[in-house]
Amino acid sequence: MGLRLGDTAPNFTAKTTEGTIDFHEWLGDSWGVLMSHPADFTPVCTTELGAVGGLDSEFAKRNAKVIVVSVDSVDDHYKWSQDIAETQNNSVTFPIIGDEDRKVAELYDMIHPNEGDTSTVRSVFVIDPNKKIRMTLTYPKSAGRNFDEILRVIDSLQLTDNYKVTTPADWQYGDDVIVSPAISNEEAEKLFPAGFTELKPYLRMTKQPNL
Ligand code: BEZ
């Protein structure tokens, strides 16, 4: 059975472009984004890693570390990183795992044989500081990922972990949020002094409470 939300992210040791790491130790108290790509020296992956490099400060702002994995060697990752810097206006600012023995790919079920070969698909795991898996995404090889969406979900998780709210469809940081259906109107009045709007008894909107 694959990994599910709420499971502990499996630990591993692996060779990376920043040396050998123990995954849980490397994460420390940070949030983590573990993501796989199919292969080095391929076009979509080149744009993806460049995009993540450009979002370095956005991940740091959220106390989140990114680590990337493919079944290519660390040597290939170094060489390919030069192409990324040359073509994407961003450099690789995060470790890339050389998973030649597929240990990490198999642990996280990142190889989907019906997708054509034995390389990894575009998986994403968002992991919280308790090492719990909080989001998973799997994209096909033909579609590059939207990293703003990953940042958006981290924002939502960090907000909803701390306040009795959830975030609506297409929510962006600063938009109104949903009062948790688990709390009464009386409790909501105390928790949200700015008030809330009851569209339906199960759908009550309020201002984002940490602003
Ligand atoms: C790409 O990144 O462009 C790619 C990688 C593997 C298979 C197909 C496309």
Side-chain angles (χ1 to χ4, degrees):
M1 182 175 303
L3 293 168
R4 292 176 166 176
L5 300 188
D7 287 350
T8 298
N11 197 22
F12 56 80
T13 54
K15 279 191 280 177
T16 82
T17 48
E18 296 184 8
T20 299
I21 61 150
D22 172 287
F23 184 49
H24 282 190
E25 263 177 35
W26 177 82
L27 282 169
D29 294 330
S30 298
W31 287 71
V33 178
L34 169 65
M35 49 178 258
S36 56
H37 66 274
D40 293 2
F41 306 105
T42 55
V44 175
C45 303
T46 301
T47 63
E48 285 192 315
L49 269 63
V52 175
L55 292 170
D56 193 33
S57 60
E58 292 299 322
F59 285 104
K61 215 157 76 183
R62 292 161 176 85
N63 186 32
K65 290 175 161 182
V66 176
I67 189 164
V68 173
V69 57
S70 81
V71 299
D72 300 289
S73 67
V74 167
D75 272 355
D76 275 350
H77 294 332
Y78 285 134
K79 287 182 200 136
W80 181 44
S81 295
Q82 292 170 18
D83 291 358
I84 294 168
E86 187 187 318
T87 62
Q88 302 303 307
N89 285 326
N90 289 312
S91 50
V92 171
T93 51
F94 41 82
I96 313 178
I97 298 166
D99 192 33
E100 287 174 283
D101 61 4
R102 301 180 190 166
K103 190 170 75 181
V104 177
E106 281 169 11
L107 203 53
Y108 280 82
D109 197 20
M110 291 164 161
I111 295 173
H112 297 194
N114 291 332
E115 271 293 286
D117 58 27
T118 52
S119 62
T120 43
V121 290
R122 300 186 198 283
S123 299
V124 182
F125 292 84
V126 172
I127 298 162
D128 73 14
N130 295 319
K131 315 288 184 287
K132 299 292 181 201
I133 295 173
R134 301 295 299 278
M135 185 194 74
T136 62
L137 272 179
T138 308
Y139 275 46
K141 289 180 182 172
S142 52
R145 284 161 282 202
N146 181 333
F147 294 100
D148 287 335
E149 169 62 2
I150 294 165
L151 291 168
R152 192 187 76 89
V153 176
I154 294 173
D155 282 340
S156 174
L157 288 166
Q158 293 182 345
L159 179 71
T160 59
D161 278 358
N162 287 306
Y163 295 91
K164 294 196 168 159
V165 296
T166 52
T167 58
D170 299 328
W171 174 81
Q172 296 290 338
Y173 198 89
D175 289 351
D176 287 356
V177 297
I178 298 168
V179 176
S180 167
I183 67 170
S184 65
N185 280 355
E186 292 67 39
E187 202 181 342
E189 275 157 22
K190 287 189 208 127
L191 288 174
F192 307 111
F196 59 89
T197 307
E198 185 174 290
L199 300 172
K200 291 282 175 191
Y202 58 84
L203 178 56
R204 298 165 295 173
M205 305 301 296
T206 190
K207 299 279 171 220
Q208 183 176 321
N210 62 337
L211 294 180

